Amino acid sequence: MSSWNHRLLIVALAMGTLSCMKTPDLNEKTTPASLAEVQNAMVQSWGTSDPLTMTPNDFLYQETEQTVEEQDPRLVLQEGITISKKEEAAKEFNYTFLYQTNVVNGNQNQQSTREDHRCVAKTSDGCETTTSSTTTTMSLPSGDATASSGNFAIKNLVRMQQATIKPYSEDLQLTLGFERFMGLAYACQKSSGLDTYCKEQLGVDSCDIQCSNLVTKDELVDAPALIKAQTNCGGFKDCKINLKRVSFDWSFISKTGSVTHTQKINYTIAVSPDMPFLSKVMEYCSRGLVEVPSSGNKVLVGVCNRVKNYKPASAN
C-alpha cells in the first residue's frame, strides 16, 4: 500500500528549499539548474494542499497522448479514478480508489477496473509497510530522498532501453498527480543506488545526472471541456483555471573509458492552485529522443498526461 506521512507532507510542501509550455530544443545550449532550484520552483507551484481533503466519491478523469516527431497527438490511455473509501485508524487514514483504465491501441481498446490503496500517516510510525501482492508500497520522501531519485532515474533508463516512452500507467498501476510531482521534485538528485545500477546493469564505469534549462510560467487557461459542461463551470470563475508551469531538461550521462554518452528528456508539469489535492497536477509531460530498434535512428517522442475532468463528491 502506498503511504504518505501527513505531517512530513505538509512540512515538505511548505519549505522554500525544496507545466505544457513550449518545450525547449533538446540540443540547445544548456543553463545548469541545481536540485535546490528545481525543488524551489516546484514547491512554489504547488502552494498548499492537504491530502486529507480527499473525500469518498471525488472523481478524476485524465488522458494520456503520445506524439512522434511532428505527427498529431495520439490518444493512448484513459483513466478514471474514484475515491470509494476513507477510513480512519489510530495512526493513519486509509484510502481506497476505484481505478478504471482504457488502453487505446489503434482501433483496439483494453479496459480494466480494480481497486488500489493509499495511506496517509498521522504519526511517524503510521502506514506500516505491507508486502501484499495486490498493493504497492511507497513512502513520502523527506530529507534524504536518494531512493526516490534513484528509482526515478532507473525507470527512465529502462524506458530508454525499451526504445519507447510509454504512457505513465502502462503497467496499469495507479499513479496520483502528487506522486508524479514528488518523483520529479527529486529527479535531479543522484543516488548511490544509481551508481550500482549503472555498473551492474549497464556495464559502464560511471554515470551522472544533470538538470538544466529550468523555466517557470504562470498562466490563466480555459477549463477543460468536461469541466465547462458542469453546473456553473465547476465553480471556476469565467471558466478559467490558473496554472503554474515548471519545465526542465533531465540528462543522464554515462562514461566508459574516454567515451561519454548523454541521454536527455525534457519534463514539464503544470500545477493549479485552484484545484484540490487529487486533481492539482493538471499536466505531466515528457519529451525525448528514442532510438528505433535495429535502425540506429532516433525519433522525438513526447508523452503528455492531462486532467480532463474533476468532480468533487459534493457535485456527484
Side-chain angles (χ1 to χ4, degrees):
M1 178 185 296
S2 294
S3 61
W4 309 320
N5 183 297
H6 183 234
R7 181 181 61 82
L8 291 178
L9 187 156
I10 298 301
V11 170
L13 293 179
M15 290 175 61
T17 59
L18 213 96
S19 12
C20 272
M21 70 188 63
K22 182 179 179 182
T23 306
D25 186 334
L26 293 174
N27 295 316
E28 71 180 8
K29 182 179 178 181
T30 60
T31 301
S34 68
L35 171 66
E37 288 172 329
V38 171
Q39 289 184 336
N40 251 330
M42 294 194 65
V43 166
Q44 290 174 20
S45 75
W46 184 269
T48 58
S49 186
D50 189 341
L52 295 182
T53 59
M54 293 189 296
T55 303
N57 294 319
D58 284 352
F59 171 76
L60 176 70
Y61 170 66
Q62 54 195 14
E63 293 181 348
T64 299
E65 292 183 328
Q66 185 178 67
T67 304
V68 178
E69 293 292 341
E70 300 301 322
Q71 298 177 13
D72 292 335
R74 179 173 63 90
L75 178 65
V76 293
L77 180 67
Q78 297 170 302
E79 298 170 281
I81 302 170
T82 305
I83 299 175
S84 57
K85 292 181 185 177
K86 178 182 179 181
E87 301 170 303
E88 184 174 6
K91 300 178 181 180
E92 66 218 22
F93 285 89
N94 294 299
Y95 284 89
T96 301
F97 295 83
L98 183 67
Y99 182 47
Q100 300 168 292
T101 64
N102 180 37
V103 179
V104 182
N105 185 6
N107 295 324
Q108 297 181 334
N109 294 283
Q110 180 183 348
Q111 299 178 347
S112 68
T113 300
R114 67 177 179 84
E115 285 189 343
D116 212 323
H117 306 274
R118 294 294 185 272
C119 178
V120 180
K122 297 179 184 179
T123 61
S124 60
D125 58 345
C127 298
E128 294 183 359
T129 300
T130 176
T131 57
S132 167
S133 61
T134 59
T135 59
T136 56
T137 302
M138 182 185 68
S139 297
L140 175 74
S142 61
D144 180 9
T146 53
S148 295
S149 62
N151 288 341
F152 183 95
I154 290 171
K155 286 180 181 178
N156 273 353
L157 296 176
V158 169
R159 287 194 180 99
M160 290 173 179
Q161 290 176 323
Q162 291 173 339
T164 185
I165 299 179
K166 295 184 178 180
Y168 299 117
S169 293
E170 74 278 4
D171 53 1
L172 300 188
Q173 296 295 315
L174 170 65
T175 304
L176 299 179
F178 171 73
E179 293 163 343
R180 290 178 178 141
F181 178 92
M182 290 304 290
L184 205 56
Y186 288 110
C188 304
Q189 182 173 11
K190 182 183 175 183
S191 71
S192 57
L194 181 60
D195 275 327
T196 301
Y197 178 87
C198 290
K199 292 178 180 178
E200 295 182 356
Q201 301 298 322
L202 302 183
V204 299
D205 295 338
S206 63
C207 58
D208 195 12
I209 291 173
Q210 294 179 6
C211 290
S212 59
N213 301 332
L214 176 65
V215 178
T216 62
K217 187 176 182 181
D218 291 346
E219 286 187 2
L220 184 65
V221 301
D222 290 336
L226 291 173
I227 293 181
K228 284 184 177 181
Q230 295 180 28
T231 302
N232 194 30
C233 196
F236 292 101
K237 183 180 179 182
D238 299 325
C239 253
K240 300 286 187 180
I241 295 178
N242 288 288
L243 292 180
K244 292 181 177 292
R245 299 182 182 272
V246 179
S247 172
F248 62 91
D249 289 339
W250 180 92
S251 297
F252 172 76
I253 303 101
S254 59
K255 191 171 184 178
T256 303
S258 59
V259 178
T260 299
H261 181 61
T262 301
Q263 294 169 289
K264 183 181 291 186
I265 297 177
N266 174 265
Y267 284 97
T268 66
I269 189 167
V271 182
S272 175
D274 300 333
M275 283 289 187
F277 186 88
L278 183 62
S279 56
K280 204 168 186 66
V281 176
M282 294 291 290
E283 294 181 3
Y284 183 88
C285 307
S286 62
R287 178 174 174 264
L289 290 171
V290 173
E291 187 170 328
V292 179
S294 305
S295 74
N297 296 324
K298 292 185 177 183
V299 296
L300 191 60
V301 178
V303 179
C304 205
N305 177 277
R306 295 183 177 92
V307 170
K308 295 295 185 178
N309 197 13
Y310 170 75
K311 292 181 71 175
S314 58
N316 293 319

